[in-house]
């Protein structure tokens, strides 16, 4: 009986520790916790208050297939090989993510209006001579979004690494977008200066897995795949004088992972049952409601931090 009580006590302690470890995003100071760096010159801050703001792009890139590797150490025995792994995201539908970004966008617009900014939908801007002259160019997205997600099988590389093999890109429906996918040059600056507006582009790159490689002794090399929800925000601003401004976060923003039901073998590389991914032998199976709620809370409170940093630049 004594042993049973001891085990129960240890179990309760473990449960209590897990509950304490959960992040309450409403209490997170993103600026301090994730080492935010803000470059908003005085002229840009004044322009934000004096001129309309057009959110020229707002998107969420959800990784659907990720890869990891553990390479043999330089002093390990000859014949020890590198280990590779792939994992898909299962259980989360594109339709649910599309609904999420619609909600997140509405909150972001409200946050910007809440700090006194004049947010325009860009309808008049999109009919300007400059925009129309760029509409048929290659590597641009100009016009109204149709609410359809984009599937991209090309490998993605960003500031957080090159571990994404496939991704889905979501944008709010019926929104004006003015974006280029090559080196921009004066693409954004010309629009901002000609139309006397501020441009804000914001995107979130979302990862769902972590790969932990270990070299043990001279002959062992292993790789472990676990759930690892993480967002990388990409934020930039351009004012009517053509000056760029931005907000970055030096530390990766990791979320809670109680949405994960674990790593499961899919049985084949037919991705029909995986939700987002086109192919994988293994998948991290997600509870969709928990996954979406965690992602929502992370981004909602991050956006409030972004708005607060913009407001702080007004002083």
């Amino acid at each position: 009986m004594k042993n049973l009580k001891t085990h129960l006590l240890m179990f309760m302690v473990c449960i209590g520790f897990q509950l304490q470890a959960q992040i309450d995003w409403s209490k997170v100071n993103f600026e301090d916790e994730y080492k935010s760096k803000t470059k908003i010159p005085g002229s840009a801050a004044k322009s934000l208050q004096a001129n309309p703001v057009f959110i020229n792009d707002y998107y969420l890139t959800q990784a659907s297939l990720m890869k990891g590797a553990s390479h043999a150490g330089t002093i390990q025995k000859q014949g020890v090989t590198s280990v590779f792994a792939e994992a898909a995201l299962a259980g989360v539908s594109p339709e649910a993510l599309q609904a999420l970004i619609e909600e997140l966008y509405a909150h972001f617009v409200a946050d910007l209006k809440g700090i006194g900014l004049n947010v325009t939908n860009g309808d008049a801007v999109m009919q300007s001579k400059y925009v129309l002259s760029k509409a048929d160019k290659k590597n641009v997205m100009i016009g109204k979004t149709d609410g359809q997600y984009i599937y991209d099988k090309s490998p993605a590389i960003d500031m957080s690494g090159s571990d994404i093999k496939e991704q889905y890109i979501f944008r709010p429906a019926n929104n004006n977008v003015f974006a280029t996918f090559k080196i921009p040059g004066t693409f954004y600056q010309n629009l901002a200066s000609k139309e006397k507006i501020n441009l804000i582009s914001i995107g979130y790159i979302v990862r769902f897995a972590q790969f932990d490689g270990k070299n043990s002794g001279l002959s062992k090399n292993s790789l472990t795949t676990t759930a690892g929800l993480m967002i990388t925000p990409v934020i930039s601003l351009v004012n009517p004088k053509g000056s760029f401004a931005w907000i970055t976060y030096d530390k990766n923003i990791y979320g809670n992972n109680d949405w994960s039901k674990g790593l499961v073998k899919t049985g084949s590389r037919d991705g029909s049952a995986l939700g987002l991914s086109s192919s994988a032998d293994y998948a991290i199976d997600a509870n969709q409601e928990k996954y979406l709620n965690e992602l929502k809370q992370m981004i909602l409170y991050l956006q409030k931090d972004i708005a607060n940093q913009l407001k702080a630049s007004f002083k």
Side-chain angles (χ1 to χ4, degrees):
M1 187 68 178
K2 184 178 180 180
N3 287 339
L4 177 60
K5 288 182 178 179
T6 301
H7 286 304
L8 285 172
L9 179 61
M10 292 177 65
F11 175 76
M12 293 302 292
V13 169
C14 289
I15 292 295
F17 176 77
Q18 289 177 355
L19 290 175
Q20 289 178 357
Q22 295 292 302
I23 302 171
D24 180 350
W25 293 103
S26 68
K27 298 179 180 178
V28 173
N29 185 321
F30 284 87
E31 190 172 356
D32 292 341
E33 184 69 24
Y34 299 104
K35 309 302 180 187
S36 173
K37 290 183 179 178
T38 304
K39 182 183 178 183
I40 303 178
S43 59
K46 290 179 181 178
S47 175
L48 282 170
Q49 299 174 82
N51 296 284
V53 173
F54 171 38
I55 304 172
N56 63 289
D57 199 9
Y58 183 96
Y59 63 92
L60 184 149
T61 298
Q62 171 64 66
S64 56
L65 182 63
M66 295 180 62
K67 61 180 180 178
S70 178
H71 298 288
T74 55
I75 63 172
Q76 287 189 308
K77 291 181 179 179
Q78 186 175 2
V80 177
T81 59
S82 296
V83 182
F84 302 89
E86 290 184 358
L89 177 61
V92 181
S93 72
E95 292 77 16
L97 285 164
Q98 182 62 41
L100 176 62
I101 197 170
E102 304 284 355
E103 183 177 358
L104 293 172
Y105 177 77
H107 278 281
F108 186 55
V109 171
D111 288 338
L112 295 183
K113 289 182 176 180
I115 62 170
L117 299 187
N118 175 19
V119 181
T120 173
N121 61 16
D123 281 346
V125 173
M126 298 300 284
Q127 296 304 313
S128 68
K129 183 177 179 181
Y130 178 73
V131 170
L132 295 175
S133 72
K134 298 293 183 181
D136 295 327
K137 302 294 184 181
K138 293 182 179 180
N139 299 312
V140 300
M141 177 178 286
I142 297 175
K144 289 275 189 183
T145 55
D146 58 8
Q148 297 297 309
Y149 51 82
I150 299 172
Y151 168 63
D152 186 2
K153 200 172 181 178
S154 58
I157 300 175
D158 63 15
M159 296 300 290
S160 296
S162 57
D163 52 357
I164 298 175
K165 287 193 70 175
E166 299 175 7
Q167 56 271 318
Y168 281 74
I169 304 168
F170 301 87
R171 288 179 170 86
N174 201 36
N175 262 31
N176 287 310
V177 175
F178 182 82
T180 181
F181 307 115
K182 60 181 182 179
I183 298 173
T186 59
F187 183 82
Y188 298 112
Q189 292 165 303
N190 286 343
L191 177 62
S193 61
K194 288 177 183 295
E195 298 302 315
K196 301 292 189 293
I197 58 170
N198 299 283
L199 303 179
I200 295 181
S201 172
I202 181 166
Y204 302 100
I205 301 170
V206 183
R207 289 170 165 81
F208 64 89
Q210 296 182 94
F211 301 92
D212 183 21
K214 292 183 179 179
N215 301 133
S216 302
L218 296 176
S219 59
K220 291 184 179 179
N221 186 23
S222 63
L223 184 64
T224 303
T225 304
T226 57
L229 180 60
M230 185 185 88
I231 60 174
T232 303
V234 182
I235 309 154
S236 65
L237 302 87
V238 184
N239 73 0
K241 292 185 177 180
S243 299
F244 279 93
W246 57 82
I247 299 172
T248 62
Y249 296 86
D250 285 351
K251 286 182 65 177
N252 293 329
I253 304 174
Y254 288 101
N256 299 308
N257 292 310
D258 59 345
W259 53 268
S260 172
K261 296 190 283 185
L263 190 68
V264 296
K265 187 170 177 58
T266 63
S268 72
R269 295 188 67 83
D270 176 6
S272 59
L274 298 179
L276 289 176
S277 181
S278 67
S279 63
D281 290 325
Y282 289 89
I284 293 179
D285 195 12
N287 177 306
Q288 178 170 278
E289 183 179 359
K290 288 184 177 180
Y291 183 89
L292 294 176
N293 185 62
E294 181 65 11
L295 184 56
K296 175 182 173 180
Q297 295 303 311
M298 294 172 75
I299 294 178
L300 279 180
Y301 286 102
L302 173 59
Q303 289 184 161
K304 291 183 182 299
D305 179 77
I306 293 168
N308 286 335
Q309 290 197 57
L310 293 176
K311 184 178 180 180
S313 72
F314 299 165
K315 299 176 181 178

